[in-house]
Amino acid sequence: VVSSVVPGCTDPLAINYCATCNFDDGSCIYAILGCTDSTALNYNPLANTDDGSCFGCTGVVTAPFTETFDVLGNLGPFTDAFGAGSGSSVAATLAWTQDAAGTPSGNTGPSDDVTGGGYYMYTETSGVGSNKTAVLFSACVDATTLASACLSYSYHMFGATQGTLEVRVNGDSVWSISGDQGNAWITA
């Protein structure tokens, strides 16, 4: 009896499984889930199987620009990923709130916006907001007319249950801070 060797991937869990192969040649490739669209903001160059999580720009804003959140109901070029629906962000499990009157829980902040008398965005990190993720993302920013681009913002992280505030650019973490930072606005 003469049998012929048919090399290939013999693992049915691999994405290149060969049902007719009878000799495993070590060529099996396993799925790495992620966004495979190179034009998406959360593109994963290591992914070989698209998981449907890709998202792109919601618009384009030309730099420089300023957003104060001082018009109730208007977030400017920003979008709350929690309320934006599926596909906008896979991470959002908590909504942002636009407010001007202080947070509802005690010994947390802020009680007013950074300029005094305006609105700000916040998340409640105690109670139902504990261990959740809120995502606020901007439209894409065209900074090609600037000699050097800079992001400046104010944050207020007061309270015992503060988590982590993180800034991402094109999906990459460029800055973060965690925990109670005191009852004051801080500019980064």
Side-chain angles (χ1 to χ4, degrees):
V1 173
V2 177
S3 73
S4 68
V5 174
V6 181
C9 175
T10 60
D11 185 346
L13 299 177
I15 61 174
N16 64 330
Y17 169 64
C18 174
T20 59
C21 295
N22 59 17
F23 175 78
D24 196 295
D25 62 3
S27 66
C28 294
I29 300 170
Y30 297 93
I32 300 172
L33 298 177
C35 174
T36 59
D37 180 353
S38 63
T39 65
L41 295 178
N42 62 330
Y43 168 64
N44 180 351
L46 301 177
N48 60 20
T49 305
D50 197 275
D51 64 0
S53 69
C54 298
F55 62 91
C57 293
T58 59
V60 176
V61 175
T62 302
F65 75 94
T66 299
E67 180 55 55
T68 64
F69 302 112
D70 278 345
V71 178
L72 184 60
N74 183 354
L75 303 184
F78 291 88
T79 303
D80 178 2
F82 186 77
S86 64
S88 62
S89 173
V90 295
T93 57
L94 180 67
W96 285 88
T97 301
Q98 187 179 22
D99 192 55
T103 58
S105 54
N107 293 318
T108 64
S111 59
D112 201 353
D113 85 329
V114 67
T115 62
Y119 286 89
Y120 53 88
M121 300 300 294
Y122 83 95
T123 61
E124 183 61 46
T125 62
S126 56
V128 297
S130 181
N131 295 315
K132 300 230 175 134
T133 300
V135 177
L136 188 66
F137 59 92
S138 79
C140 290
V141 178
D142 179 359
T144 57
T145 61
L146 302 178
S148 63
C150 173
L151 172 66
S152 181
Y153 51 95
S154 298
Y155 63 94
H156 192 289
M157 295 175 68
F158 175 51
T161 61
Q162 294 298 312
T164 299
L165 177 62
E166 179 180 40
V167 175
R168 290 178 172 239
V169 176
N170 294 333
D172 298 324
S173 180
V174 295
W175 180 91
S176 69
I177 194 165
S178 299
D180 185 346
Q181 301 300 311
N183 191 8
W185 284 98
I186 301 167
T187 299

